[in-house]
Amino acid sequence: MKAEFPINLWPNGVQAYHRWIRQCIKENRPYDEFVRDMLTSSGSNFRVPQVNFYRAVQERKPSTIASAVALTFMGVRAERWPDTTLSGMSAFFSRIAFKGTAEWKEEIVLMDPAPSGPLDAIFPDGKKVTIPPGVDPRQVFADWLLAEGNPWFARNIANRAWAWMMGRASSTSRTISDLTTLLPTQSCSPIWRRNWWPLTMICGISSR
């Protein structure tokens, strides 16, 4: 985790983010809760450190944020998707705003209060949704991503854990960050879907 180049999180922000991650590991939080916090939180990059996930994305365009989310939590490269699929997922992140404060290098990540109408979006599995006013689109996406029957989230962390243990991606994917070739219906063991492994176990695997 770097404070500056290529992304300017700045020392205070990156220190807060690092401490938050370490505290989550110390508390042995379930992985799905950890991810939900990063996807749905709003607030100061100093005081709500998990919002630095969005600040760490190289560009603040909705499509770039959507691509980062897809790569990090679904293990797929969204740039290989049809344009309609990527634009449909990008809608979930189209109302994120960034606002500076009087404090040096502090930045608030928030939902843009200007749009007032409903928002049409499309999940990566092709299902369409209309999000009513006042509902955070990120929360809607997180609910979909972390649902028990979702094939991408569990496969992604299972594939990464396999790579950490075996030194290579599983036989069903090219790399640890490319599950594009898998069918959406393919799933992994229920142990990953129903009993989310705590962070200490995942970190223990990754450090072997």
Side-chain angles (χ1 to χ4, degrees), residues 31-32 146-148 150-151 153-162 164-165 187-198 201-202 205:
Y31 181 60
D32 59 331
L146 303 174
E148 182 178 312
N150 187 299
F153 184 67
R155 292 183 314 182
N156 175 55
I157 190 59
N159 189 49
R160 290 180 186 276
W162 177 277
W164 290 327
M165 289 189 290
S187 189
C188 63
S189 168
I191 191 172
W192 288 95
R193 292 187 285 109
R194 298 196 181 102
N195 303 301
W196 284 110
W197 287 21
M201 183 174 291
I202 294 173
I205 291 171

Side-chain angles (χ1 to χ4, degrees), residues 43-136:
S44 163
N45 59 319
F46 297 161
R47 297 168 180 81
V48 187
Q50 54 269 40
V51 303
N52 283 289
F53 171 78
Y54 289 112
R55 297 184 66 253
V57 178
Q58 286 190 320
E59 294 180 335
R60 293 178 174 181
K61 298 187 301 183
S63 59
T64 305
I65 295 173
S67 295
V69 171
L71 181 63
T72 305
F73 302 123
M74 297 171 61
V76 294
R77 297 188 178 276
E79 64 268 20
R80 296 175 180 168
W81 287 349
D83 290 342
T84 53
T85 304
L86 178 56
S87 63
M89 179 174 165
S90 299
F92 292 103
F93 307 99
S94 62
R95 294 185 175 176
I96 298 175
F98 301 84
K99 178 182 178 181
T101 75
E103 187 171 347
W104 187 72
K105 302 301 182 182
E106 183 181 37
E107 190 170 41
I108 308 297
V109 178
L110 70 157
M111 295 307 300
D112 189 344
S116 57
L119 176 67
D120 292 327
I122 306 175
F123 294 111
D125 61 4
K127 181 180 178 181
K128 297 180 180 180
V129 62
T130 298
I131 303 169
V135 175
D136 188 338

Side-chain angles (χ1 to χ4, degrees), residues 23-41:
Q23 184 63 31
C24 288
I25 295 171
K26 182 179 179 180
E27 294 173 358
N28 205 22
R29 294 190 65 192
Y31 181 60
D32 59 331
E33 293 181 9
F34 175 73
V35 171
R36 182 180 291 278
D37 265 3
M38 285 193 284
L39 288 177
T40 63
S41 292

